[in-house]
Amino acid sequence: MTKEQIVKIFHEKFGAEAPEVYTSPGRVNLIGEHTDYNGSFVFPGAIDKGMIAAIRFNGADKVKAYAIDLDESSEFGLNEEDLPKEGWAKYIFGVCREIIKRGGTIKAFDTVFSGDVPLGAGMSSSAALESTYAFALNDMLKLGIDKFELARVGQSTEHNYVGVKCGIMDQFASLFGKEGHLIRLDTKTMEYEYFPFDPQGYKLVLLDTVVKHELASSAYNKRRESCEHAARTIAKRHPEMEFLRDATMEMLLEVKNEISEEDFMRAQYVIEETQRVRDVSDALERGDYKTVGEKMYETHHGMSKLYEVSCDELDFLNDIAREHGVTGSRVMGGGFGGCTINLVKDELHDSFVADAKEKFKARFGHEPKVYDVVISDGARKL
Ligand code: GLA
């Protein structure tokens, strides 16, 4: 939706006075999955799909919000007990509350928003929504909160108002995204580096299973608990260790008998994935996309067999990619449905997509959705 379109809808809902318009994107992640809550590395980039919102302070004591795509309205106050019942409104409310908790004063506003980042596809539509409002309110109210803290505002919204104990990757990518660049973020130190990403002769393609499994958020939180338990157990012998990211396989093996088999598998995945992100950084610097691709397949295998966040649909797409000679492919994001991200040679792109659509439909009764990835800028005023 363009700025003009959203402003028009705003006027229809809330009258003639002009709103401000902000946008914030979803993200892809090349590699480094389920590592961000383990103090490890991620490799995301913002995409050309996101959320757009028109906002104007209303001088009243209630926020009035309209979700254009759902044709639903919500009205809520700004005190802790005013949690709205609409799922989408909780994100906006949570962002306001988290800013207030950090000492910021929020004035009530009228707003309409819309998005083109697919919901539940693993491209972080919720982080795009949080970042849009966090960035906008900070800018409009001149609160002076830096972008790292704005990312934490979004993350705490997930923790405290949505119930997902997520890491920082999605909100970070949505706020810090830069056109044509992926970002390697060290979630322990919050140091980050932009990597130009323009692989000559390759495309990044997302295949969306359009499957979203129930209980994904409780399964996500459970993975996090497993990792933290393994990390705490290792830290008893190695007190210098802060996050699972600091552990080696040798250290994990020392506590094998003290943790469950499940926790062991989760931790093994994280330790291996940490090494893979390092390998991919080196490979990217050499322009070695073959290695990047191999690591992506290894990640898929780990996410499927050790971390157990894949599903039949995702594994099926991964198999098709491999059979088709695609350079790299893996489940992207939290898992339990959503997309695979595929690094495909230009000349294979069309035949791979056609092949995947046909075989997937024959097996599951519907085609996957296809998105070509364009790496774009982060949150901004329009
Ligand atoms: C979700 C979370 C992120 C991250 C990914 C998995 O997108 O919001 O913090 O943990 O899953 O890498």
Side-chain angles (χ1 to χ4, degrees):
M1 184 167 282
T2 63
K3 181 177 174 185
E4 290 66 35
Q5 287 168 322
I6 196 156
V7 167
K8 184 162 174 283
I9 298 174
F10 184 91
H11 287 318
E12 285 161 16
K13 282 273 156 196
F14 296 115
E17 234 180 291
E20 314 265 19
V21 181
Y22 290 84
T23 187
S24 205
R27 61 105 190 90
V28 290
N29 185 27
L30 186 65
I31 199 148
E33 221 67 87
H34 289 275
T35 43
D36 61 348
Y37 50 87
N38 287 300
S40 188
F41 304 98
V42 289
F43 227 119
I47 55 174
D48 62 335
K49 295 180 175 41
M51 292 287 170
I52 180 169
I55 308 174
R56 193 189 60 210
F57 296 115
N58 61 20
D61 57 0
K62 285 207 161 75
V63 173
K64 288 186 194 153
Y66 176 63
I68 297 171
D69 309 321
L70 302 167
D71 189 19
E72 255 180 50
S73 297
S74 178
E75 204 175 303
F76 52 85
L78 290 167
N79 297 312
E80 194 63 21
E81 64 274 16
D82 296 326
L83 182 74
K85 62 177 191 317
E86 297 81 10
W88 55 269
K90 292 192 167 86
Y91 294 98
I92 304 174
F93 173 78
V95 165
C96 296
R97 286 300 309 159
E98 290 298 333
I99 290 177
I100 293 168
K101 286 184 202 167
R102 286 161 175 78
T105 303
I106 298 285
K107 294 198 266 176
F109 51 90
D110 295 338
T111 183
V112 304
F113 73 92
S114 170
D116 60 357
V117 47
L119 301 178
M123 291 180 226
S124 301
S125 50
S126 56
L129 186 58
E130 291 147 12
S131 302
T132 301
Y133 282 93
F135 186 88
L137 292 169
N138 182 51
D139 193 53
M140 291 168 77
L141 292 164
K142 303 199 169 29
L143 298 173
I145 305 174
D146 70 33
K147 283 207 282 183
F148 288 110
E149 200 55 33
L150 290 179
R152 289 192 194 98
V153 162
Q155 184 191 23
S156 313
T157 295
E158 299 274 351
H159 287 203
N160 300 328
Y161 300 95
V162 184
V164 181
K165 302 289 179 195
C166 66
I168 196 76
M169 166 167 71
D170 304 351
Q171 293 79 9
F172 176 87
S174 188
L175 286 156
F176 285 80
K178 182 165 157 183
E179 194 183 333
H181 291 73
L182 296 177
I183 324 169
R184 188 186 57 193
L185 170 69
D186 180 335
T187 64
K188 184 173 166 182
T189 60
M190 291 306 276
E191 280 165 11
Y192 65 99
E193 196 180 333
Y194 288 106
F195 278 66
F197 189 73
D198 182 23
Q200 296 301 317
Y202 292 89
K203 286 190 170 54
L204 270 186
V205 188
L206 302 182
L207 293 184
D208 181 0
T209 60
V210 209
V211 174
K212 171 120 185 95
H213 287 283
E214 288 296 313
L215 299 177
S217 56
S218 62
Y220 181 97
N221 293 348
K222 217 166 155 247
R223 300 297 182 286
R224 182 170 183 154
E225 279 163 26
S226 284
C227 292
E228 288 173 351
H229 182 241
R232 275 197 307 275
T233 313
I234 298 172
K236 282 187 200 152
R237 292 161 190 255
H238 300 274
E240 72 285 1
M241 202 190 91
E242 205 181 330
F243 292 104
L244 203 45
R245 170 262 176 92
D246 303 314
T248 60
M249 269 317 281
E250 290 70 35
M251 287 155 81
L252 177 63
L253 282 164
E254 285 169 12
V255 301
K256 192 164 197 263
N257 298 327
E258 293 162 45
I259 59 177
S260 69
E261 200 178 323
E262 195 175 273
D263 290 359
F264 183 88
M265 280 158 54
R266 308 299 189 238
Q268 179 184 348
Y269 163 79
V270 170
I271 293 169
E272 291 175 354
E273 182 73 350
T274 298
Q275 186 55 44
R276 280 191 286 268
V277 185
R278 291 196 166 101
D279 294 344
V280 163
S281 308
D282 295 346
L284 277 182
E285 268 163 14
R286 300 192 300 271
D288 173 4
Y289 291 99
K290 192 164 164 284
T291 299
V292 174
E294 278 163 16
K295 296 293 156 191
M296 290 170 76
Y297 279 112
E298 285 176 22
T299 294
H300 186 88
H301 187 262
M303 285 178 83
S304 178
K305 303 292 181 264
L306 294 174
Y307 221 65
E308 297 181 301
V309 294
S310 188
C311 60
D312 287 349
E313 290 87 347
L314 290 164
D315 288 345
F316 189 78
L317 286 178
N318 189 256
D319 287 343
I320 294 176
R322 198 187 281 279
E323 284 158 20
H324 209 92
V326 167
T327 306
S329 174
R330 65 177 194 82
V331 41
M332 188 183 77
F336 313 105
C339 284
T340 60
I341 180 167
N342 303 276
L343 180 66
V344 195
K345 285 220 169 102
D346 283 342
E347 61 269 26
L348 282 183
H349 174 274
D350 293 356
S351 61
F352 166 57
V353 167
D355 193 27
K357 278 185 171 174
E358 192 190 315
K359 291 184 173 144
F360 192 90
K361 184 163 187 207
R363 169 81 189 270
F364 297 107
H366 66 272
E367 284 187 356
K369 288 198 179 140
V370 183
Y371 305 102
D372 287 319
V373 176
V374 181
I375 309 284
S376 306
D377 283 330
R380 60 203 180 273
K381 185 175 180 176
L382 293 179

